[in-house]
Amino acid sequence: MQNTEEIWRLADAKKPEFEALSDRVWGMPELAYTETRSCAEHTAMLREQGFRVTEKVAGIPTAVMGEAGEGGPVIAILGEYDALPGLSQEAGVAEPRPLPGPGFGHGCGHNLLGSASLLAATAVKDWLAANGLPGRVRYYGCPAEEGGAAKGFMVRDGAFKDVDIAISWHPAAFAAVQEAVSLANTRIDFSFVGRASHAAAAPHLGRSALDAVELMNVGVNYMREHMPSDARIHYAYLDAGGVAPNVVQPTAKVRYLIRARDLVELRRLIERVRKIADGAALMTETKVSSKVVSGVSNLLGNTPLERAMQSNLDRLGPPPFDDLDRARAAEFQATLTEEDIAASWRRIGLPMRKGVSLCDVVVPLEVRGAPMMGSTDVGDVSWVVPTVQARGSTYAIGTPGHSWQLTAQGKLPAAHKGMVHVAKVMAGTAIDCLRDPALIEAAKADLAARTAANPYEPVLSPDVQPPFDMSVTAA
């Protein structure tokens, strides 16, 4: 479709700078709460584009906010820039080829996520200035989405208290409005303390913390049969008590990730897991303590905002991919299974079309697939501010999230085109809100109706602090 809307022209005018920003962040992958260089890149870009900058939002060193405009409603556009461990990969290469270094990689596309959101915010800033209208746009650079729940801490500490509308997106295979389904979750570390002893000469004097963790895991595994089918529980050993099998392990620590469809069910599951931990300690005559690391709420939808975003998608049309983009995407599809590709179509709710490597449609709003639900800290924002998210097509259909294939595609021309495309969608949705106060009021009424019977109660209690050291062991 011919790009005739002013806001889209403003996004196109600055796309080279933001494509370069995305590529720079891709080249400096940093884990949750350690995104020092990535945050600095975003902060520098905010200043270069003329935003008023606030650093260390909510006391988080790698969170930043830029604001532009005066008076009027406040539109927030949310960005991220954290990477993942174990997903290092050479750009553009359709075979596993990790780069030298610690092994981090942008296997969830957050280099694109933050850059597109900042491009959208910049286009809105320029539109406000060109039209002399009241209103403020804010870009929130949010760290640690991958398990660190930074937005949850930011919400709890009031960073969004005067925001009227929040807009975000996530890299995907298809261009669509993001269906507001996700799992609330929390991460809790359970630490067991027993008594060391000689495992052969005096085993009766020892009390094994490792046994306690293993019994806890067995108990939770038996519980899986008796919990909601859409709930999920995962665990990882942080401390197995040592490497000497002839010493009864006096300490052990396990991290549990507990997920549920909503906050009510999450709290029920947490209590059940805690009881199992207490039982494991009782059986082994050890002591157990726990520490909440992070937690996020489930997403709430917003029908007026979703319709406004869909209107922008429909007017804009699908991303402008060309034959070369499709050929490169096909190279990555060749590394995937038929199941990977079919799952991608099933997730978005469209019938599978063989031989299609990149998105060439806009998914209708009424189409609903079989979502494979993860979790996101955008959920907490959606409980306190009317929130809408897009899916931006930036990689080959079938590419699994958190994969080397996704990392490898993060700098391709198709990724850049999809990034700019979704920036236009977000910017257009923001402009719709600024032009139409009734849309903002309708969005707020929708949120009020969704939370009337179940007001927001943060998963993160006031005593829980951001886990700034959560990525130390991965480094």
Side-chain angles (χ1 to χ4, degrees), residues 212-254:
V213 169
E214 292 183 320
L215 285 168
M216 179 184 177
N217 294 342
V218 169
V220 171
N221 285 335
Y222 273 105
M223 188 186 77
R224 294 178 194 276
E225 184 183 354
H226 307 286
M227 66 186 200
S229 59
D230 52 8
R232 300 286 185 270
I233 300 184
H234 329 274
Y235 60 86
Y237 283 89
L238 302 184
D239 172 16
V243 297
N246 60 336
V247 176
V248 173
Q249 293 88 345
T251 62
K253 181 187 290 188
V254 63

Side-chain angles (χ1 to χ4, degrees), residues 126-174:
D126 294 346
W127 182 89
L128 285 169
N131 289 275
L133 295 176
R136 285 170 285 166
V137 61
R138 290 180 185 166
Y139 170 73
Y140 284 84
C142 307
E145 189 276 335
E146 299 290 356
K151 294 185 196 69
F153 292 104
M154 294 163 73
V155 168
R156 188 192 67 184
D157 292 353
F160 297 94
K161 64 183 178 183
D162 60 344
V163 171
D164 292 286
I165 299 294
I167 301 171
S168 191
W169 78 289
H170 201 281
F174 291 93

